[in-house]
């Protein structure tokens, strides 16, 4: 690596580690909108628009995805991105039980993550790891993906405070926004904050802007992920395209990915996604999008 490149990466890492959540939206008092809805009502309306509270939904939701990481984020956050493994993925999610399994494939091999109420398990090529940093990073990113892919039910389940913010304009549209304090936060974080941008007519999530307090090298950072290409699946509205950016203390593109397959209600069981493999009803790839 060239000396200049090393210096840039070193400075970027120092800024990241020393950064605080400068620029993350806050509210000294709730915004009073013409529609008269407070933050809790706005969030509840979005949950309904997405198909209702997923915690009350029996059955399973399954998707396949592909994507790419941007170069600088891989160098600054190698443990969090784990980009040699996290490229394509097959995901199995049971909302009512909270079982969330992701099987990644990349040039280095296969990584499988199992997130449950009992904790986190990570397997590389079928072999479990007990590395504390790997487990903490996987818990944080898997929780974030539950929000990204499955919507505001995640926020409703963990919200300790919901405050309406002033609308924000982008691309000629005004988006409704709420600031949500959640506890627990993502992964091992005691708490985090999320600003949800909601479509003015659809009330679907357009973007989430969040803190990441669950891993040492992301504490003080904040990122946003923008969603598009919604599809209806078994009564649930799910986005199919995602773009993630770091917004502070650096401002860089991080990750872009897209759903390649979707299906629901296969009837797989928790044991079908354990021990670092997918078996039984969990095994087949998600049905390709058309």
């Amino acid at each position: 690596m060239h000396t200049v490149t090393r210096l840039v990466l070193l400075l970027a890492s120092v800024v990241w580690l020393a950064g605080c959540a400068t620029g993350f939206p806050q509210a000294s008092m709730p915004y009073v909108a013409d529609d008269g809805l407070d933050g809790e009502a706005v969030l509840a309306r979005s949950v309904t628009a997405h198909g209702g509270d997923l915690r009350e939904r029996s059955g399973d939701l399954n998707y396949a995805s592909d994507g790419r990481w941007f170069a600088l984020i891989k160098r600054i956050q190698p443990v969090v991105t784990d980009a040699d493994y996290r490229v394509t993925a097959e995901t199995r999610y049971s909302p009512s039980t909270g079982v969330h399994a992701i099987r990644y494939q990349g040039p280095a091999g296969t990584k499988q993550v199992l997130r449950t109420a009992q904790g986190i398990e990570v397997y590389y090529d079928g072999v479990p790891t007990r590395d504390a940093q790997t487990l903490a990073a996987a818990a944080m990113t898997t929780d974030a993906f539950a929000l990204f892919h499955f919507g505001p039910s995640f926020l409703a389940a963990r919200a300790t405070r919901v405050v309406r913010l002033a609308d924000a304009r982008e691309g000629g549209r005004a988006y409704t926004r709420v600031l949500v304090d959640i506890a627990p936060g993502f992964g091992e974080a005691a708490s985090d904050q999320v600003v949800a941008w909601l479509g003015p007519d659809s009330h679907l999530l357009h973007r989430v802007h969040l803190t990441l307090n669950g891993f040492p090298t992301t504490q003080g950072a904040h990122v946003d992920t923008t969603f598009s290409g919604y599809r209806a699946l078994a009564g649930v509205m799910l986005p199919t395209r995602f773009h993630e950016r770091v917004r502070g203390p650096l401002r860089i593109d991080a990750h872009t990915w897209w759903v390649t397959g979707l299906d629901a209600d296969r009837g797989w069981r928790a044991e079908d996604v354990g021990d670092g493999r997918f078996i039984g009803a969990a095994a087949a790839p998600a049905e390709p999008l058309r």
Side-chain angles (χ1 to χ4, degrees), residues 103-135:
R103 186 172 179 82
Y104 296 103
Q105 189 75 39
T110 300
K111 175 182 182 179
Q112 186 158 324
V113 177
L114 177 61
R115 183 70 162 144
T116 67
Q118 289 69 48
I120 186 80
E121 298 175 16
V122 177
Y123 300 80
Y124 287 98
D125 298 316
V127 179
T129 180
R130 291 178 173 80
D131 179 74
Q133 284 202 330
T134 297
L135 294 172

Side-chain angles (χ1 to χ4, degrees), residues 41-278:
V42 169
L43 180 60
R45 182 175 66 182
S46 182
V47 169
T48 299
H50 279 259
D53 192 332
L54 289 184
R55 291 172 294 173
E56 301 172 359
R57 184 192 188 281
S58 60
D60 50 76
L61 300 168
N62 313 290
Y63 70 86
S65 61
D66 196 355
R68 71 181 183 92
W69 294 94
F70 289 82
L72 187 54
I73 192 67
K74 291 191 294 183
R75 293 168 180 165
I76 295 174
Q77 293 289 350
V79 178
V80 174
T81 61
D82 209 2
D84 287 338
Y85 287 91
R86 294 179 60 211
V87 182
T88 63
E90 287 280 346
T91 295
R92 308 288 177 261
Y93 183 51
S94 171
S96 63
T97 66
V99 175
H100 188 187
I102 308 177
R103 186 172 179 82
Y104 296 103
Q105 189 75 39
T110 300
K111 175 182 182 179
Q112 186 158 324
V113 177
L114 177 61
R115 183 70 162 144
T116 67
Q118 289 69 48
I120 186 80
E121 298 175 16
V122 177
Y123 300 80
Y124 287 98
D125 298 316
V127 179
T129 180
R130 291 178 173 80
D131 179 74
Q133 284 202 330
T134 297
L135 294 172
M140 183 178 70
T141 56
T142 305
D143 285 356
F145 268 57
L147 169 59
F148 298 161
H149 281 265
F150 302 112
S153 292
F154 181 94
L155 297 178
R158 302 192 183 202
T160 59
R161 182 182 71 131
V162 186
V163 179
R164 187 160 183 179
L165 300 179
D167 294 352
R169 298 192 67 84
E170 181 178 84
R173 303 185 73 196
Y175 290 90
T176 306
R177 297 188 304 158
V178 292
L179 170 64
V180 186
D181 294 344
I182 63 171
F186 300 103
E188 296 182 353
S191 64
D192 272 302
Q193 291 187 301
V194 179
V195 174
W197 293 45
L198 306 168
D201 302 314
S202 68
H203 312 306
L204 299 176
L205 282 175
H206 165 69
R207 174 177 296 143
V208 289
H209 186 179
L210 52 136
T211 62
L212 292 171
N213 295 323
F215 194 70
T217 62
T218 60
Q219 290 174 7
H222 49 106
V223 304
D224 70 27
T225 298
T226 301
F227 317 115
S228 60
Y230 273 89
R231 295 282 191 101
L233 175 70
V236 181
M237 295 299 295
L238 301 173
T240 60
R241 298 196 69 86
F242 308 81
H243 186 77
E244 184 177 21
R245 307 175 296 180
V246 178
R247 308 307 290 162
L250 305 176
R251 296 177 69 88
I252 59 172
D253 289 313
H255 189 200
T256 187
W257 72 100
W258 50 93
V259 170
T260 58
L262 277 173
D263 63 55
D265 301 328
R266 299 182 181 193
W268 52 261
R269 303 167 300 173
E271 52 264 38
D272 293 335
V273 296
D275 297 326
R277 77 282 187 269
F278 286 173

